[in-house]
Amino acid sequence: MNEPKSNYSIRDEIRDYWSERAGTFDQSVGHEIFSDAERRGWQRLIRKHLGEGQGRRALDLACGTAVISHLLHDLGFSVTGLDWSDTMLALARAKAESRKADIRFITGDAENTLEQPGTYDVITNRHLVWTLVDPPAAFREWFSLLKPGGKVLIVDGNMGKTTWVKGLQTYWTRMTGKELSGPLNADMAEWLRDIRARVYFSDQMPATAVAALLEDAGFENVVIDRKLTDIHWAQARKMPVMRGLDRMFQERFAICAEKPHR
Protein backbone atom coordinates (compact mmCIF):
# COMPACT_ATOMS: atom_id res chain seq x y z
CA MET A 1 0.00 0.00 0.00
CA ASN A 2 1.37 3.38 -1.01
CA GLU A 3 2.08 5.87 1.75
CA PRO A 4 0.09 9.14 1.51
CA LYS A 5 2.12 12.01 0.08
CA SER A 6 2.66 15.05 2.23
CA ASN A 7 1.69 18.50 0.96
CA TYR A 8 4.61 19.95 2.92
CA SER A 9 6.98 21.30 0.25
CA ILE A 10 10.51 22.73 0.22
CA ARG A 11 8.90 26.18 -0.06
CA ASP A 12 6.98 25.52 3.16
CA GLU A 13 10.19 24.40 4.84
CA ILE A 14 12.03 27.55 3.76
CA ARG A 15 9.16 29.64 5.17
CA ASP A 16 9.27 27.73 8.47
CA TYR A 17 13.04 28.00 8.73
CA TRP A 18 12.93 31.79 8.46
CA SER A 19 9.93 31.98 10.77
CA GLU A 20 12.03 30.12 13.34
CA ARG A 21 14.81 32.66 12.91
CA ALA A 22 12.52 35.71 12.95
CA GLY A 23 12.84 36.38 16.67
CA THR A 24 16.62 36.87 16.43
CA PHE A 25 16.79 38.14 12.84
CA ASP A 26 17.37 41.78 13.78
CA GLN A 27 20.12 40.81 16.20
CA SER A 28 22.37 39.57 13.39
CA VAL A 29 24.93 41.72 11.60
CA GLY A 30 24.19 41.45 7.90
CA HIS A 31 20.46 41.40 8.54
CA GLU A 32 19.70 44.55 10.55
CA ILE A 33 21.87 47.65 10.12
CA PHE A 34 24.05 48.58 13.10
CA SER A 35 25.95 51.68 11.97
CA ASP A 36 25.47 54.90 10.05
CA ALA A 37 28.34 53.85 7.80
CA GLU A 38 26.49 50.71 6.71
CA ARG A 39 23.26 52.66 6.23
CA ARG A 40 25.07 55.15 3.99
CA GLY A 41 26.52 52.25 2.02
CA TRP A 42 23.08 50.78 1.36
CA GLN A 43 21.66 54.16 0.42
CA ARG A 44 24.54 54.70 -2.01
CA LEU A 45 23.91 51.31 -3.62
CA ILE A 46 20.17 51.90 -4.02
CA ARG A 47 20.63 55.41 -5.40
CA LYS A 48 23.33 54.20 -7.80
CA HIS A 49 21.05 51.64 -9.45
CA LEU A 50 17.50 52.84 -8.78
CA GLY A 51 17.80 56.58 -8.17
CA GLU A 52 15.66 58.56 -5.74
CA GLY A 53 12.20 57.24 -4.98
CA GLN A 54 10.09 60.26 -5.92
CA GLY A 55 6.96 58.33 -5.01
CA ARG A 56 7.68 55.45 -7.38
CA ARG A 57 6.29 52.05 -6.41
CA ALA A 58 8.76 49.51 -5.01
CA LEU A 59 8.19 45.84 -4.18
CA ASP A 60 10.64 44.45 -1.64
CA LEU A 61 10.53 40.66 -1.98
CA ALA A 62 11.31 38.41 1.00
CA CYS A 63 11.38 41.59 3.04
CA GLY A 64 11.82 39.84 6.38
CA THR A 65 11.67 42.44 9.13
CA ALA A 66 11.74 45.19 6.46
CA VAL A 67 15.33 46.41 6.63
CA ILE A 68 15.54 47.10 2.89
CA SER A 69 11.90 48.26 2.84
CA HIS A 70 12.79 51.05 5.27
CA LEU A 71 15.84 52.07 3.25
CA LEU A 72 13.60 52.39 0.19
CA HIS A 73 10.97 54.29 2.18
CA ASP A 74 13.58 56.72 3.49
CA LEU A 75 14.65 57.42 -0.11
CA GLY A 76 11.11 58.34 -1.11
CA PHE A 77 9.72 55.14 -2.62
CA SER A 78 6.14 53.96 -2.02
CA VAL A 79 6.98 50.53 -0.63
CA THR A 80 5.25 47.16 -0.48
CA GLY A 81 7.07 44.49 1.52
CA LEU A 82 6.23 40.87 0.71
CA ASP A 83 7.27 37.85 2.74
CA TRP A 84 6.21 34.20 2.95
CA SER A 85 6.55 34.19 6.76
CA ASP A 86 3.76 35.76 8.80
CA THR A 87 6.12 35.71 11.79
CA MET A 88 8.57 37.94 9.94
CA LEU A 89 5.76 40.21 8.77
CA ALA A 90 4.45 40.68 12.31
CA LEU A 91 7.86 42.04 13.28
CA ALA A 92 8.03 44.14 10.10
CA ARG A 93 4.65 45.73 10.81
CA ALA A 94 5.63 46.48 14.41
CA LYS A 95 8.87 48.10 13.26
CA ALA A 96 7.09 50.22 10.67
CA GLU A 97 4.51 51.32 13.22
CA SER A 98 7.22 52.32 15.72
CA ARG A 99 8.98 54.35 13.02
CA LYS A 100 5.72 55.78 11.66
CA ALA A 101 6.66 54.49 8.19
CA ASP A 102 3.81 54.06 5.72
CA ILE A 103 4.83 50.68 4.28
CA ARG A 104 2.33 48.13 2.94
CA PHE A 105 3.02 44.52 3.93
CA ILE A 106 1.55 41.41 2.32
CA THR A 107 2.01 37.68 2.75
CA GLY A 108 3.17 35.97 -0.42
CA ASP A 109 5.56 33.70 -2.24
CA ALA A 110 8.32 35.59 -4.08
CA GLU A 111 8.06 33.05 -6.91
CA ASN A 112 4.30 33.58 -7.28
CA THR A 113 3.33 36.90 -5.72
CA LEU A 114 -0.28 37.15 -6.98
CA GLU A 115 0.33 40.88 -7.48
CA GLN A 116 -0.99 42.59 -10.62
CA PRO A 117 1.29 42.67 -13.69
CA GLY A 118 2.82 46.02 -14.65
CA THR A 119 2.35 47.43 -11.15
CA TYR A 120 5.84 48.31 -9.90
CA ASP A 121 8.63 50.66 -10.90
CA VAL A 122 11.31 48.73 -9.00
CA ILE A 123 11.68 45.33 -7.34
CA THR A 124 14.32 44.63 -4.70
CA ASN A 125 15.47 41.62 -2.75
CA ARG A 126 18.38 40.72 -0.50
CA HIS A 127 19.62 37.17 0.13
CA LEU A 128 16.57 35.72 -1.63
CA VAL A 129 17.78 34.27 -4.92
CA TRP A 130 19.84 31.48 -3.34
CA THR A 131 16.63 30.19 -1.66
CA LEU A 132 14.56 30.05 -4.86
CA VAL A 133 13.30 26.65 -5.96
CA ASP A 134 12.68 27.84 -9.53
CA PRO A 135 14.60 31.05 -10.33
CA PRO A 136 13.71 31.06 -14.06
CA ALA A 137 9.99 31.11 -13.19
CA ALA A 138 10.56 33.67 -10.42
CA PHE A 139 12.43 36.01 -12.77
CA ARG A 140 9.64 35.75 -15.34
CA GLU A 141 7.18 36.64 -12.57
CA TRP A 142 9.25 39.69 -11.55
CA PHE A 143 9.54 40.77 -15.18
CA SER A 144 5.73 40.70 -15.48
CA LEU A 145 5.25 42.78 -12.32
CA LEU A 146 7.43 45.66 -13.55
CA LYS A 147 6.29 48.54 -15.68
CA PRO A 148 8.18 49.07 -18.95
CA GLY A 149 11.56 50.52 -18.01
CA GLY A 150 11.26 49.17 -14.46
CA LYS A 151 14.28 47.72 -12.68
CA VAL A 152 15.07 44.82 -10.40
CA LEU A 153 17.91 45.08 -7.87
CA ILE A 154 19.20 41.80 -6.43
CA VAL A 155 21.69 41.71 -3.55
CA ASP A 156 23.09 38.25 -2.87
CA GLY A 157 26.27 36.21 -2.97
CA ASN A 158 28.00 33.05 -4.07
CA MET A 159 27.67 31.49 -0.62
CA GLY A 160 28.66 28.04 -1.87
CA LYS A 161 32.15 29.30 -2.67
CA THR A 162 34.55 28.72 0.23
CA THR A 163 36.85 31.60 1.17
CA TRP A 164 40.39 31.07 2.46
CA VAL A 165 39.11 32.26 5.83
CA LYS A 166 36.46 29.53 5.93
CA GLY A 167 39.12 27.02 4.88
CA LEU A 168 41.28 28.15 7.80
CA GLN A 169 38.33 27.70 10.16
CA THR A 170 37.76 24.18 8.84
CA TYR A 171 41.45 23.37 9.33
CA TRP A 172 41.31 24.70 12.90
CA THR A 173 38.30 22.51 13.68
CA ARG A 174 39.96 19.43 12.19
CA MET A 175 43.19 19.98 14.14
CA THR A 176 41.64 20.94 17.49
CA GLY A 177 38.26 19.22 17.41
CA LYS A 178 36.70 22.54 18.42
CA GLU A 179 34.12 24.40 16.34
CA LEU A 180 34.49 28.16 16.10
CA SER A 181 31.25 29.80 17.21
CA GLY A 182 28.90 30.97 14.46
CA PRO A 183 25.59 32.80 14.29
CA LEU A 184 23.55 29.54 14.28
CA ASN A 185 23.33 26.66 16.71
CA ALA A 186 24.09 23.16 15.42
CA ASP A 187 20.47 22.20 14.72
CA MET A 188 19.70 25.38 12.76
CA ALA A 189 22.96 25.12 10.83
CA GLU A 190 22.14 21.54 9.84
CA TRP A 191 18.60 22.55 8.82
CA LEU A 192 20.03 25.29 6.64
CA ARG A 193 22.50 22.90 4.99
CA ASP A 194 19.65 20.48 4.26
CA ILE A 195 17.57 23.23 2.63
CA ARG A 196 20.52 24.45 0.57
CA ALA A 197 21.03 20.96 -0.81
CA ARG A 198 17.55 21.00 -2.38
CA VAL A 199 17.19 24.46 -3.91
CA TYR A 200 18.11 25.43 -7.49
CA PHE A 201 21.50 26.90 -6.58
CA SER A 202 22.41 24.01 -4.29
CA ASP A 203 26.16 24.45 -4.84
CA GLN A 204 27.66 27.71 -6.04
CA MET A 205 25.74 30.73 -7.32
CA PRO A 206 28.08 32.94 -9.35
CA ALA A 207 26.71 36.33 -10.34
CA THR A 208 27.11 35.47 -14.01
CA ALA A 209 24.70 32.53 -13.66
CA VAL A 210 22.05 34.79 -12.08
CA ALA A 211 22.59 37.42 -14.78
CA ALA A 212 22.14 34.83 -17.53
CA LEU A 213 18.80 33.72 -16.07
CA LEU A 214 17.64 37.35 -15.90
CA GLU A 215 18.45 37.80 -19.57
CA ASP A 216 16.58 34.58 -20.39
CA ALA A 217 13.54 36.06 -18.62
CA GLY A 218 13.62 39.11 -20.90
CA PHE A 219 15.63 41.62 -18.85
CA GLU A 220 18.24 43.80 -20.52
CA ASN A 221 21.06 46.12 -19.43
CA VAL A 222 22.08 43.59 -16.76
CA VAL A 223 24.82 45.05 -14.54
CA ILE A 224 26.84 43.06 -12.00
CA ASP A 225 28.14 45.33 -9.24
CA ARG A 226 30.79 43.93 -6.91
CA LYS A 227 31.72 47.28 -5.34
CA LEU A 228 30.07 46.71 -1.95
CA THR A 229 33.15 47.18 0.22
CA ASP A 230 31.66 50.08 2.19
CA ILE A 231 28.74 47.89 3.28
CA HIS A 232 30.86 44.82 4.05
CA TRP A 233 33.55 46.75 5.92
CA ALA A 234 30.89 48.37 8.12
CA GLN A 235 29.39 44.93 8.80
CA ALA A 236 32.76 43.28 9.45
CA ARG A 237 33.62 45.84 12.13
CA LYS A 238 30.57 44.65 14.11
CA MET A 239 31.46 40.94 13.84
CA PRO A 240 33.92 38.66 15.63
CA VAL A 241 37.32 38.78 13.90
CA MET A 242 37.11 35.55 11.89
CA ARG A 243 33.53 36.15 10.77
CA GLY A 244 34.42 39.70 9.82
CA LEU A 245 37.38 38.52 7.74
CA ASP A 246 35.17 35.96 6.03
CA ARG A 247 32.61 38.66 5.21
CA MET A 248 35.26 40.78 3.54
CA PHE A 249 36.42 37.94 1.28
CA GLN A 250 33.06 36.41 0.37
CA GLU A 251 31.88 36.74 -3.23
CA ARG A 252 28.92 39.04 -2.66
CA PHE A 253 27.32 41.19 -5.35
CA ALA A 254 24.42 43.31 -6.51
CA ILE A 255 22.76 42.79 -9.88
CA CYS A 256 20.54 45.39 -11.53
CA ALA A 257 18.48 44.62 -14.64
CA GLU A 258 15.89 46.53 -16.61
CA LYS A 259 12.62 45.61 -18.31
CA PRO A 260 12.68 46.97 -21.87
CA HIS A 261 10.74 50.19 -22.47
CA ARG A 262 9.08 48.78 -25.57
Side-chain angles (χ1 to χ4, degrees), residues 32-128:
E32 183 56 277
I33 296 171
F34 290 97
S35 69
D36 289 338
E38 183 182 353
R39 188 174 304 280
R40 288 193 299 270
W42 282 109
Q43 290 172 339
R44 174 200 60 77
L45 181 70
I46 294 169
R47 284 191 176 104
K48 177 180 179 180
H49 294 288
L50 304 179
E52 297 290 345
Q54 298 178 326
R56 290 180 295 148
R57 297 193 66 185
L59 176 62
D60 184 27
L61 294 170
C63 68
T65 62
V67 176
I68 302 301
S69 299
H70 280 278
L71 288 168
L72 292 165
H73 180 269
D74 291 346
L75 292 175
F77 287 92
S78 174
V79 185
T80 293
L82 177 147
D83 203 278
W84 197 221
S85 166
D86 286 326
T87 310
M88 284 285 193
L89 286 177
L91 295 170
R93 290 187 176 101
K95 185 188 294 186
E97 183 176 355
S98 70
R99 297 181 182 180
K100 295 181 170 51
D102 183 19
I103 300 173
R104 170 185 177 239
F105 293 105
I106 55 175
T107 303
D109 180 357
E111 298 189 31
N112 183 26
T113 66
L114 303 181
E115 289 289 272
Q116 290 297 311
T119 301
Y120 292 98
D121 298 286
V122 302
I123 291 175
T124 59
N125 56 82
R126 180 183 65 163
H127 305 164
L128 165 64

Side-chain angles (χ1 to χ4, degrees), residues 10-11 14 61-62 109-112 125 127-139 142 154 156 195-196 198-202 205 210 213:
I10 179 64
R11 289 181 174 87
I14 292 168
L61 294 170
D109 180 357
E111 298 189 31
N112 183 26
N125 56 82
H127 305 164
L128 165 64
V129 173
W130 76 264
T131 73
L132 295 175
V133 178
D134 190 352
F139 293 173
W142 304 354
I154 293 167
D156 220 301
I195 288 172
R196 285 197 72 103
R198 290 178 287 145
V199 295
Y200 184 95
F201 287 110
S202 58
M205 191 180 81
V210 179
L213 291 179

Side-chain angles (χ1 to χ4, degrees), residues 229-248:
T229 305
D230 51 353
I231 295 171
H232 298 152
W233 173 242
Q235 292 173 345
R237 294 184 66 183
K238 299 291 182 177
M239 292 176 169
V241 173
M242 292 302 289
R243 280 188 59 210
L245 271 175
D246 192 47
R247 178 56 52 95
M248 292 302 298

